[in-house]
Amino acid sequence: MSGLVSGLQQDHLSELIRGQDLPLPALDPSHVELILELIQLAYEGIKADYPGAVFAGDEKHLNSLMVDRLNHLVGDDPVASLLVRAVSRGTETKNYDASRFEMRPDIQISLTSRQHLFPLIVECKLIDISKGKTVDRYCKDGLARFTTGDYAWTNREAMLLAYVRDGASTTSHLQPFLAASMALSPPEYAVVSLPQKCAASLPDAVRSDHGRYFSYVHGAQNGKLPGDIAVWHLWVS
């Protein structure tokens, strides 16, 4: 039975990455920053229109509102629509070796420059220290999905969106946490570079770089390393 399962996993990978050389080419940083700006704008609109959801709603409700607002923004913006095809929530995917099915990233942004099978992944987490929504969980349940090959394993970049409710920032919380992780041997979360400010127009957007703990397992890609992944963090409050 294990041989059959392994064969089926290979079939799924073969069909998914048909004709692709992995990892895919990196996105232009200016395009990533434009998407960050769209997400910030979407959040600000939702905060104005639905303050109850922003201050008390859980992640799934916030994510649903964000996806709908982002699709409206893209549809209304001729420049954004040149870059983004559509935004979706919870679309089923698989990890790098197809050993895990029915995985559902929080937000997937389908880009006009890529097949819709390879979206930009946005994982979303609440930051509310008093209620146990800590930066440790942000990394353990969010960042780690990118270093271990659960999400964005075909890509060179991914995003983490934090809904902050307690005044925390990337400078006060994420930076020291990842610095401590980087000092471990081996570095936890495979930290290659600590968060650096990006998208200067945004209140709290940074980029960190991370190694990845897996290699590709199928066909011509077998044994190939995916290389580092750039993770763009946007913290909104």
Side-chain angles (χ1 to χ4, degrees):
M1 179 63 71
S2 62
L4 174 60
V5 171
S6 178
L8 292 173
Q9 291 170 351
Q10 292 297 308
D11 290 346
H12 285 290
L13 288 175
S14 177
E15 187 59 29
L16 175 65
I17 65 174
R18 178 187 298 274
Q20 304 296 320
D21 185 24
L22 301 182
L24 299 173
L27 296 177
D28 188 309
S30 66
H31 293 171
V32 178
E33 293 193 1
L34 188 152
I35 293 171
L36 291 172
E37 290 168 359
L38 280 173
I39 294 173
Q40 179 80 41
L41 184 60
Y43 176 82
E44 290 171 355
I46 290 168
K47 183 178 179 180
D49 293 340
Y50 312 106
V54 168
F55 294 114
D58 59 21
E59 290 170 25
K60 66 181 180 182
H61 290 112
L62 286 170
N63 293 343
S64 181
L65 289 169
M66 287 291 292
V67 165
D68 290 342
R69 183 59 62 97
L70 283 167
N71 278 309
H72 282 300
L73 290 175
V74 170
D76 293 340
D77 186 334
V79 175
S81 64
L82 292 175
L83 176 63
V84 176
R85 180 182 291 113
V87 184
S88 58
R89 172 178 171 265
T91 303
E92 185 177 303
T93 186
K94 56 188 73 69
N95 71 336
Y96 79 97
D97 65 357
S99 61
R100 300 180 67 189
F101 278 77
E102 298 182 352
M103 306 191 70
R104 298 180 183 277
D106 290 324
I107 296 175
Q108 300 185 12
I109 300 177
S110 179
L111 305 171
T112 57
S113 61
R114 290 181 179 169
Q115 292 186 24
H116 73 279
L117 292 170
F118 308 108
L120 177 64
I121 302 298
V122 186
E123 271 296 279
C124 307
K125 295 288 176 276
L126 286 169
I127 298 290
D128 192 347
I129 307 301
S130 66
K131 296 183 178 179
K133 306 292 187 179
T134 63
V135 69
D136 177 69
R137 289 190 61 182
Y138 172 89
C139 291
K140 184 179 297 183
D141 298 336
L143 179 58
R145 294 187 182 277
F146 302 129
T147 61
T148 58
D150 279 349
Y151 295 159
W153 52 273
T154 62
N155 302 353
R156 298 179 192 262
E157 61 285 301
M159 288 184 177
L160 272 167
L161 172 63
Y163 304 115
V164 180
R165 290 180 174 162
D166 59 2
S169 69
T170 58
T171 300
S172 65
H173 286 71
L174 183 62
Q175 177 84 19
F177 184 89
L178 289 183
S181 299
M182 190 178 190
L184 298 176
S185 182
E188 193 171 14
Y189 303 112
V191 181
V192 173
S193 66
L194 294 173
Q196 298 292 320
K197 177 69 177 177
C198 65
S201 63
L202 298 178
D204 198 357
V206 297
R207 167 184 163 166
S208 60
D209 292 278
H210 303 263
R212 291 194 268 192
Y213 298 133
F214 64 94
S215 58
Y216 295 125
V217 298
H218 178 72
Q221 312 289 333
N222 190 41
K224 183 178 180 180
L225 298 175
D228 296 345
I229 187 167
V231 180
W232 305 71
H233 308 260
L234 178 63
W235 287 32
V236 296
S237 60

